[in-house]
DNA sequence: TCTGGGGTCCTAGGACCC
DNA sequence: TCTGGGGTCCTAGGACCC
């Protein structure tokens, strides 16, 4: 018997849940995002495979998606419904003799001891489908990185195994940002160092990576290139570090008093979330996005951990003023000074 | 008519202390 | 007038993920 990691990933999760409750949508391009109004600011959360065929992708502005696929059905994000569906899936996974680590609405790792991980994967797929009507893919590996990577090669709905033996034949010639945890910024820096493939990254000197990316991230990037991942599958319930709310305004706010007022409102929403959690807040942060798209953040430790909504709102307003005072000092790309307008406002509470 | 919302973790640098 | 080394706490922001 050997230790294996399975990565379970639901196919087009949000779109699939919408099709489940509206079967007449099956086979049609479905796009879930924002409040479903393509004339408003918002992005695609999930596109069905039919919509993806038109070039619609997650993260794409809804307007762009509507241009690419005008006949798609555009639906608003209905969070409570997806949370229920997700909980059903995760409860189903926990029926298996495995450690289950939930990493999102539509993804989980299973740590299991078995001689036939493919058989386990087939049973997981079948039981999830029977219990929820949802289809999933399963990646198999000796660690979480290999399993997560494998899932990507089987989409949609496949079962793929990657181990140390097959890591380089699948990943070796791909660019580093094909790796989980390495994005475009890091890939660009790696390219500047002459590292343009996963294999080259795997062969890079840890000391060189540490000098460029820091003592923790540097060696971690190297390990990732080699397909190594010592992190265990953790079944404990996740304990949130923070709670936040943010809002993008349909029209930028031009009046600072209006910004203050919205900040107080958002802070009270966060305070209500935090009150549900029943945990004390140690720090309060504010995020501002100046138009056109420049994001700044600031945070402040509370004098003492608190739960009171008024205290959280007062702290948020204090932090907001710090950002506001910097507003005229924030240069524009063209160097011409003028008033900054506010596109987004967010408030975050960090737990003690 | 560009570019959501909710998270996590790490780094760098300054303040401050011994 | 010059100026060590280590440690901790704090803030701003970078990067990435779903």
């Amino acid at each position: 018997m050997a230790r294996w990691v399975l990565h379970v990933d639901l196919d087009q999760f949000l779109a699939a849940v919408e099709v489940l409750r509206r079967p007449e949508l099956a086979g049609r391009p479905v796009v879930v995002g924002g409040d479903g109004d393509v004339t408003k600011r918002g992005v695609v959360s999930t596109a069905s495979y039919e919509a993806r065929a038109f070039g619609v992708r997650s993260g794409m502005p809804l307007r762009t998606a509507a241009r690419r696929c005008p006949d798609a059905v555009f639906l608003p994000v209905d969070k409570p419904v997806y949370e229920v569906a997700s909980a059903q899936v995760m409860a189903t996974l926990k029926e298996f003799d495995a450690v289950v680590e939930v990493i999102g609405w539509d993804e989980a790792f299973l740590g299991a001891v078995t001689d036939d991980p493919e058989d386990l994967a087939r049973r997981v797929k079948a039981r999830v489908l029977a219990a929820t009507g949802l289809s999933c893919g399963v990646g198999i590996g000796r660690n979480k990185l290999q399993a997560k990577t494998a899932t990507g090669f089987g989409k949609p709905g496949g079962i793929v195994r990657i181990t140390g033996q097959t890591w380089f034949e699948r990943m070796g010639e791909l660019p580093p940002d094909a790796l989980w945890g390495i994005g475009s910024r890091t890939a660009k820096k790696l390219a500047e160092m002459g590292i343009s493939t996963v294999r080259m990254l795997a062969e890079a000197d840890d000391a060189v990576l540490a000098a460029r990316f820091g003592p923790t991230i540097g060696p971690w990037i190297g390990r990732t290139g080699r397909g190594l991942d010592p992190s265990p599958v953790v079944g404990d319930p996740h304990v949130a570090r923070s709670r936040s709310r943010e809002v993008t305004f349909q029209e930028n706010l031009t009046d600072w008093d209006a910004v203050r007022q919205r900040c107080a409102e958002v802070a009270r929403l966060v305070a209500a979330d935090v009150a549900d959690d029943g945990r004390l807040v140690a720090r309060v942060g504010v995020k501002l996005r100046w138009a056109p798209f420049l994001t700044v953040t600031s945070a402040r430790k509370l004098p003492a951990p608190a739960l009171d909504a008024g205290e959280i709102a007062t702290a948020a307003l204090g932090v907001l003023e710090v950002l506001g005072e910097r507003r005229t000092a924030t240069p524009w790309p063209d160097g011409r000074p003028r008033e900054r307008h506010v596109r987004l406002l967010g408030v975050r509470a960090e737990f003690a």
Side-chain angles (χ1 to χ4, degrees):
Chain A
M1 298 279 265
R3 191 171 297 278
W4 288 96
V5 177
L6 274 62
H7 176 252
V8 179
D9 191 331
L10 292 154
D11 299 324
Q12 42 173 3
F13 178 55
L14 273 50
V17 172
E18 295 294 350
V19 171
L20 267 185
R21 63 170 167 175
R22 294 174 61 184
E24 70 275 16
L25 295 180
R28 293 196 58 188
V30 173
V31 178
V32 182
D35 66 0
D37 182 342
V38 299
T39 67
K40 290 194 185 169
R41 286 176 172 173
V43 301
V44 175
S45 290
T46 303
S48 69
Y49 290 107
E50 292 81 0
R52 292 180 203 186
F54 289 85
V56 178
R57 297 283 178 271
S58 299
M60 175 182 282
L62 286 175
R63 290 180 222 275
T64 309
R67 227 185 294 123
R68 294 204 180 180
C69 190
D71 295 331
V73 178
F74 288 87
L75 299 172
V77 173
D78 190 347
K79 200 172 151 190
V81 169
Y82 313 139
E83 283 170 345
V84 168
S86 176
Q88 283 171 356
V89 171
M90 299 309 163
T92 304
L93 297 180
K94 285 172 185 169
E95 292 169 10
F96 288 87
D97 185 14
V99 178
V100 178
E101 178 176 340
V102 178
I103 58 169
W105 275 350
D106 59 345
E107 277 181 60
F109 287 111
L110 268 61
V113 176
T114 173
D115 275 337
D116 193 346
E118 276 78 7
D119 176 66
L120 176 57
R122 283 189 292 270
R123 288 189 285 124
V124 166
K125 275 175 60 74
R127 203 182 293 190
V128 168
L129 182 64
T132 68
L134 295 165
S135 157
C136 62
V138 182
I140 299 168
R142 309 242 52 151
N143 59 44
K144 293 202 281 190
L145 172 62
Q146 290 169 356
K148 166 87 179 168
T149 305
T151 312
F153 287 95
K155 286 185 179 178
I159 297 174
V160 173
R161 182 202 286 214
I162 294 183
T163 62
Q165 279 75 49
T166 54
W167 177 259
F168 286 110
E169 66 191 56
R170 301 216 79 138
M171 298 299 292
E173 310 318 313
L174 297 180
D177 56 4
L179 293 164
W180 187 36
I182 297 181
S184 59
R185 302 300 184 106
T186 302
K188 189 155 176 266
K189 290 175 192 167
L190 287 169
E192 288 163 8
M193 300 166 73
I195 296 169
S196 57
T197 68
V198 170
R199 190 183 304 277
M200 292 167 85
L201 175 59
E203 290 165 357
D205 186 343
D206 267 4
V208 173
L209 294 172
R212 184 70 181 82
F213 297 101
T216 302
I217 290 184
W220 174 83
I221 290 172
R223 277 199 301 278
T224 300
R226 290 172 219 122
L228 305 178
D229 175 11
S231 71
V233 179
V234 178
D236 308 337
H238 174 251
V239 179
R241 269 77 166 165
S242 65
R243 296 273 296 195
S244 67
R245 293 267 195 155
E246 60 186 60
V247 54
T248 293
F249 304 113
Q250 286 305 316
E251 279 167 27
N252 300 337
L253 298 186
T254 58
D255 170 29
W256 190 248
D257 273 334
V259 177
R260 282 197 188 99
Q261 189 176 333
R262 299 305 297 265
C263 180
E265 290 168 15
V266 175
R268 285 181 181 281
L269 288 177
V270 172
D273 293 341
V274 163
D276 291 342
D277 293 336
R279 295 168 62 198
L280 290 171
V281 173
R283 266 162 68 89
V284 172
V286 172
K287 170 159 131 184
L288 272 188
R289 184 115 78 205
W290 302 114
F293 207 73
L294 176 74
T295 308
V296 292
T297 63
S298 184
R300 178 187 292 174
K301 194 174 184 244
L302 296 178
L307 206 147
D308 177 67
E311 246 181 281
I312 290 169
T314 302
L317 287 167
V319 174
L320 177 70
E321 290 311 313
V322 173
L323 292 173
E325 280 158 20
R326 284 190 220 136
R327 131 184 69 156
T328 45
T330 307
W332 286 77
D334 62 9
R336 190 161 62 87
R338 55 201 185 275
E339 183 79 353
R340 283 277 183 185
H341 296 162
V342 174
R343 177 189 173 93
L344 170 149
L345 172 74
V347 176
R348 165 181 307 273
E350 296 172 27
F351 294 115

